[in-house]
Amino acid sequence: MIDIDTMISKTAAWLEGKGPESDIVISSRVRLARNVVGFPFSHWATEDEMEDLLNTVEEAIQKNPPSEKYLFLRFTDLTDIERKILLERHLVSREHIQSKLNRAVAIGNDEQVSIMINEEDHLRVQVLTSGFQLNNALKLVNHVDDLLENDLEYAYSPYFGYLTACPTNVGTGIRASVMIHLPGLVLQRQIDQVLQAITKLGLTVRGWYGEGSEASGNLFQISNQTTLGKKEEEIVEKLAKIIQQVVEHERSARKILVKKDLSKIRDRIGRAFGILKYAHQISSGETMNLLSALRTGIELGVLKGVDIKIINELFLLTQPAHVQKILGKKLSQKDRDEKRADLIRKLLRDESL
Amino acid sequence: MIDIDTMISKTAAWLEGKGPESDIVISSRVRLARNVVGFPFSHWATEDEMEDLLNTVEEAIQKNPPSEKYLFLRFTDLTDIERKILLERHLVSREHIQSKLNRAVAIGNDEQVSIMINEEDHLRVQVLTSGFQLNNALKLVNHVDDLLENDLEYAYSPYFGYLTACPTNVGTGIRASVMIHLPGLVLQRQIDQVLQAITKLGLTVRGWYGEGSEASGNLFQISNQTTLGKKEEEIVEKLAKIIQQVVEHERSARKILVKKDLSKIRDRIGRAFGILKYAHQISSGETMNLLSALRTGIELGVLKGVDIKIINELFLLTQPAHVQKILGKKLSQKDRDEKRADLIRKLLRDESL
């Protein structure tokens, strides 16, 4: 069994910067919505019924673990900050951590697999991998799902498919998404046009923190909207095709940028590095934007001497709950901004351009 | 004889950061306006008359040099950029370099003394010293003036005093000023109040480049307004008394700043350092503001590891004409901003906080 402190001392596998197109696509995610026969949907369930469901699922996971070592966390055993850390690491949803009672999550060893229990649905089985590899994510999530089905009977209608608490998830119960870094399209002012086209094609665009979050740091989460009437493979394939086009647009935008004004890009990146390396107060929003600039520098081959691993580590560690967890206490925003700056300075101490 | 290239390879003595109150007062300046009997004022003179005056004064300087080694520069022998360098080094006035013909300047070895010829008046004899030492500047300028009087007869009326081209300079013909760094009063938002009080007391406030220039980098040039009806010593003493009060105001503003929010100050200074160290495009205005922040850091004892000499050198070298002179050619603004950033990165390469 691993614990939450061990977890935050490592970078999540999905942020390793590996995998196909990883200079543009940060990560690929597929999650399945599942409900167990014989239990009411979480929204309608009594506390006892939810507790029963939780125990049933825990047992199924114990018998069919997502990896040899894994973490099973009941939210009642966690502090507010620890639950927010799970959100910041994209292991649970915002909605999931709004209540504590009978909520839990099982997390695979490298944080690729997470199984949310008593979210909107009884189970949300999620796989998050590095780079652009939706098909592999789909395979892995199906594998975890199949394992659980050894011990759980899912609510399923031959006509509708998997039954879910919210009609938007009925059918395959699948949502696939990528987290994509689009500084080229943003700087070239083509981003609105591209996002509009994506939306017209039936996809949804969100920010770093998913539903309800604004895009910051030039990071966008793009996912499928519909789950019904198509096979899982088709849904993922359609998404992948569109993302591939976005990737190509981003790649040409970057080429033009570098040709047009390399000095301006170097300036932007240099200033971002200088501020991160020497600031004494910094918000999480500014941090994310500056880290995005550094990431752009590495992706464009302009920034030498800084390891992408440190950038990715900073993406996670500088988020509000992480900063507080590392410092071991709740902090005011001003204190967080100071401690965040301390943390960044420490991690960048030996980095130079 | 020294030349202009040797000159810009060294920091001017007045920017050495030495002398009384040099953590607040950058430099003290006294200049005298003088005209020579038998020659019409420059504004009314023919070219031949101006040429005669120039030769007469050059001869007087040769016989009574301001220092063993000195530079005598006729503007017709200089490029546009070189004349602007003289302005950026505060050795001539903006008005003086607007024409080339028959204009010249004699510059003492360490740039403390400069004698402008055919400015508004036939002669402007100036002494510029580091720190708050108006009396020493007055003594030195009087000494240089006395030397020249060995060979020049000044236009003088027993009733009015020295006669000058503009009535505001009649009498003593003296203008004394200090260049003062007031980040404390600016950050504490007390600067307007202080400057208003100074103006009411009959002083004039200008920016780094003197008449017509805006204050930038928290640098203010404060000078006497009137020259008539008082002795030189009285004028300088009055100015010095008021400046002493401003210095004390600034000192308490700084103390409060450090007490109130040291982290914010550290942040401001750190960011300024980071940007200067890693930017690839930077304007002279931004540079001056960031250098002001570093200077503040050193003055407050908050910034360790950066030598004030480098800051002062950068104050001079990053000005537009200096950048072009160092690069050996005229540059567009964009190119200047890039070359300026290159120059700063180079000079700060080995500096760290």
Side-chain angles (χ1 to χ4, degrees):
Chain A
M1 202 69 166
I2 49 175
D3 63 16
I4 211 163
D5 290 307
T6 311
M7 188 174 81
I8 70 164
S9 71
K10 298 187 295 182
T11 303
W14 61 272
L15 253 179
E16 272 180 353
K18 291 178 187 166
E21 318 278 15
S22 64
D23 59 331
I24 295 179
V25 180
I26 311 279
S27 59
S28 302
R29 188 181 80 110
V30 177
R31 72 108 175 102
L32 306 173
R34 297 289 183 259
N35 290 276
V36 181
V37 164
F39 293 88
F41 287 136
S42 309
H43 286 164
W44 306 102
T46 65
E47 284 182 13
D48 284 349
E49 287 166 338
M50 286 176 80
E51 179 67 22
D52 282 353
L53 182 275
L54 174 54
N55 292 328
T56 305
V57 174
E58 182 174 13
E59 210 174 297
I61 292 172
Q62 272 168 3
K63 288 188 190 163
N64 312 278
S67 52
E68 203 185 336
K69 286 184 179 181
Y70 70 98
L71 200 53
F72 192 90
L73 300 168
R74 284 174 189 257
F75 289 1
T76 43
D77 296 338
L78 302 179
T79 63
D80 286 357
I81 287 175
E82 287 171 331
R83 287 198 303 283
K84 280 183 193 150
I85 280 181
L86 299 178
L87 178 66
E88 289 176 351
R89 296 181 85 84
H90 295 204
L91 297 165
V92 299
S93 67
R94 190 177 294 272
E95 188 179 336
H96 194 199
I97 59 162
Q98 263 161 10
S99 308
K100 283 189 279 190
L101 216 56
N102 307 314
R103 264 79 175 172
V105 64
I107 301 164
N109 192 28
D110 54 2
E111 297 180 53
Q112 281 201 97
V113 176
S114 82
I115 305 165
M116 293 166 240
I117 303 162
N118 278 324
E119 209 253 17
E120 188 183 82
D121 296 294
H122 292 160
L123 286 103
R124 291 275 173 102
V125 186
Q126 168 187 284
V127 164
L128 195 53
T129 54
S130 183
F132 187 28
Q133 41 180 337
L134 285 165
N135 277 322
N136 288 335
L138 177 61
K139 275 180 207 160
L140 182 52
V141 83
N142 277 335
H143 172 68
V144 176
D145 189 46
D146 291 347
L147 286 176
L148 291 173
E149 248 186 321
N150 290 335
D151 281 78
L152 296 173
E153 191 188 341
Y154 290 145
Y156 186 83
S157 140
Y159 183 70
F160 287 117
Y162 290 101
L163 301 178
T164 55
C166 175
T168 58
N169 289 310
V170 166
T172 55
I174 200 174
R175 189 172 286 263
S177 66
V178 296
M179 186 71 75
I180 189 164
H181 190 226
L182 303 176
L185 292 171
V186 170
L187 291 174
Q188 292 277 68
R189 297 168 197 275
Q190 292 172 21
I191 190 70
D192 288 343
Q193 204 183 330
V194 169
L195 296 183
Q196 271 172 28
I198 287 170
T199 311
K200 276 187 192 155
L201 291 166
L203 303 184
T204 302
V205 182
R206 289 168 178 159
W208 171 257
Y209 288 114
E211 205 159 340
S213 73
E214 293 258 321
S216 63
N218 302 319
L219 289 165
F220 301 87
Q221 190 178 307
I222 302 174
S223 61
N224 65 302
Q225 185 81 271
T226 50
T227 55
L228 186 65
K230 280 187 185 165
K231 281 192 190 169
E232 293 165 348
E233 287 75 12
E234 285 171 357
I235 289 169
V236 167
E237 199 185 333
K238 185 193 164 192
L239 177 67
K241 266 192 183 163
I242 299 172
I243 298 300
Q244 189 60 50
Q245 285 182 31
V246 177
V247 166
E248 276 150 31
H249 275 294
E250 170 66 16
R251 218 177 280 293
S252 22
R254 289 182 184 184
K255 267 189 195 145
I256 293 167
L257 264 185
V258 170
K259 252 194 197 165
K260 212 177 64 177
D261 202 348
L262 188 59
S263 158
K264 195 173 180 180
I265 292 179
R266 285 222 168 98
D267 185 56
R268 195 184 286 266
I269 294 162
R271 284 167 182 256
F273 181 74
I275 292 172
L276 286 168
K277 195 172 162 76
Y278 293 111
H280 280 253
Q281 291 180 349
I282 194 161
S283 71
S284 55
E286 185 184 5
T287 301
M288 196 171 271
N289 285 328
L290 296 178
L291 289 173
S292 163
L294 295 198
R295 175 177 274 281
T296 306
I298 293 171
E299 288 163 356
L300 295 178
V302 170
L303 180 61
K304 315 273 184 200
V306 178
D307 193 341
I308 184 80
K309 273 190 184 167
I310 289 185
I311 310 290
N312 288 335
E313 212 176 325
L314 282 171
F315 259 104
L316 281 182
L317 295 183
T318 57
Q319 295 176 99
H322 275 79
V323 171
Q324 293 174 87
K325 177 71 181 169
I326 291 164
L327 271 291
K329 56 182 172 189
K330 270 209 165 186
L331 297 167
S332 69
Q333 196 187 321
K334 181 166 182 285
D335 284 345
R336 281 207 304 273
D337 289 353
E338 285 181 24
K339 298 301 179 191
R340 179 178 295 113
D342 292 348
L343 193 68
I344 298 169
R345 285 204 316 284
K346 201 174 146 196
L347 276 163
L348 290 182
R349 188 182 292 152
D350 300 325
E351 306 295 314
S352 196
L353 299 194
Chain B
M1 202 69 167
I2 50 175
D3 64 18
I4 212 163
D5 291 306
T6 312
M7 188 174 82
I8 71 165
S9 72
K10 298 187 295 182
T11 304
W14 61 271
L15 254 177
E16 270 180 356
K18 291 179 187 165
E21 318 278 15
S22 64
D23 60 330
I24 294 178
V25 179
I26 312 277
S27 59
S28 302
R29 188 179 80 111
V30 178
R31 71 109 176 100
L32 306 174
R34 296 288 182 260
N35 291 276
V36 182
V37 164
F39 292 87
F41 286 136
S42 308
H43 285 164
W44 307 102
T46 63
E47 284 181 13
D48 284 348
E49 286 166 339
M50 287 177 82
E51 178 67 24
D52 281 353
L53 183 274
L54 175 53
N55 291 330
T56 304
V57 175
E58 183 175 10
E59 208 175 301
I61 292 173
Q62 272 169 2
K63 289 189 189 161
N64 312 278
S67 54
E68 202 186 336
K69 285 184 180 184
Y70 70 97
L71 201 52
F72 192 90
L73 300 168
R74 282 175 190 255
F75 289 1
T76 43
D77 296 337
L78 302 178
T79 63
D80 286 357
I81 288 176
E82 287 172 331
R83 287 199 303 281
K84 280 183 193 149
I85 280 181
L86 298 178
L87 178 66
E88 288 176 354
R89 296 181 86 86
H90 294 203
L91 296 166
V92 298
S93 68
R94 192 177 293 273
E95 189 179 336
H96 194 200
I97 59 162
Q98 264 162 10
S99 309
K100 284 190 278 191
L101 216 56
N102 307 314
R103 265 79 176 173
V105 64
I107 302 164
N109 192 27
D110 54 1
E111 298 180 51
Q112 282 201 97
V113 176
S114 81
I115 305 165
M116 292 166 241
I117 304 162
N118 278 326
E119 210 252 18
E120 189 182 84
D121 295 294
H122 291 159
L123 286 104
R124 291 277 173 100
V125 186
Q126 168 187 285
V127 164
L128 195 53
T129 53
S130 183
F132 188 28
Q133 40 180 338
L134 284 166
N135 277 322
N136 287 335
L138 178 61
K139 272 181 209 159
L140 182 51
V141 82
N142 277 335
H143 173 66
V144 176
D145 190 46
D146 291 346
L147 285 178
L148 291 174
E149 249 186 320
N150 290 335
D151 282 78
L152 296 173
E153 190 189 342
Y154 289 144
Y156 185 83
S157 138
Y159 184 68
F160 287 117
Y162 290 99
L163 301 178
T164 55
C166 175
T168 57
N169 287 310
V170 166
T172 55
I174 199 173
R175 188 172 288 263
S177 67
V178 295
M179 185 71 73
I180 189 165
H181 191 225
L182 303 175
L185 292 170
V186 171
L187 290 173
Q188 291 277 69
R189 295 165 198 280
Q190 292 171 21
I191 190 70
D192 287 344
Q193 205 183 329
V194 169
L195 296 184
Q196 271 171 30
I198 286 171
T199 311
K200 275 187 193 156
L201 290 167
L203 302 185
T204 302
V205 181
R206 290 169 177 159
W208 170 259
Y209 289 114
E211 204 158 344
S213 73
E214 294 258 319
S216 63
N218 302 319
L219 288 165
F220 300 87
Q221 189 178 307
I222 302 173
S223 62
N224 64 303
Q225 186 81 272
T226 49
T227 54
L228 186 66
K230 278 187 183 164
K231 279 192 192 169
E232 293 165 348
E233 286 75 12
E234 284 171 357
I235 290 169
V236 167
E237 199 185 334
K238 185 193 164 194
L239 176 67
K241 266 192 182 162
I242 299 172
I243 298 300
Q244 189 60 51
Q245 285 183 30
V246 177
V247 166
E248 276 151 30
H249 275 295
E250 170 66 16
R251 219 178 279 294
S252 26
R254 289 181 183 185
K255 268 190 195 143
I256 293 167
L257 264 186
V258 171
K259 253 194 195 163
K260 213 176 63 176
D261 202 347
L262 189 57
S263 158
K264 195 171 179 182
I265 292 180
R266 284 220 168 99
D267 185 55
R268 193 183 288 265
I269 293 163
R271 284 167 181 256
F273 181 74
I275 292 172
L276 286 169
K277 195 172 161 76
Y278 294 110
H280 280 252
Q281 292 180 346
I282 195 162
S283 71
S284 55
E286 185 183 5
T287 301
M288 196 171 269
N289 285 327
L290 297 177
L291 288 174
S292 164
L294 295 197
R295 173 176 276 281
T296 307
I298 293 172
E299 287 163 357
L300 295 177
V302 169
L303 180 61
K304 316 273 184 201
V306 178
D307 193 341
I308 183 80
K309 273 190 186 169
I310 290 185
I311 311 290
N312 288 335
E313 213 176 324
L314 282 172
F315 258 105
L316 279 185
L317 295 185
T318 58
Q319 296 177 99
H322 275 79
V323 171
Q324 293 174 87
K325 177 71 181 170
I326 291 163
L327 271 291
K329 56 183 171 189
K330 270 209 164 186
L331 297 166
S332 69
Q333 195 185 323
K334 182 166 182 283
D335 284 345
R336 280 208 304 273
D337 289 354
E338 285 180 26
K339 298 303 178 191
R340 179 179 294 112
D342 293 347
L343 193 69
I344 298 169
R345 286 204 316 284
K346 202 174 144 195
L347 275 163
L348 290 181
R349 189 182 290 151
D350 300 327
E351 306 296 314
S352 196
L353 299 194

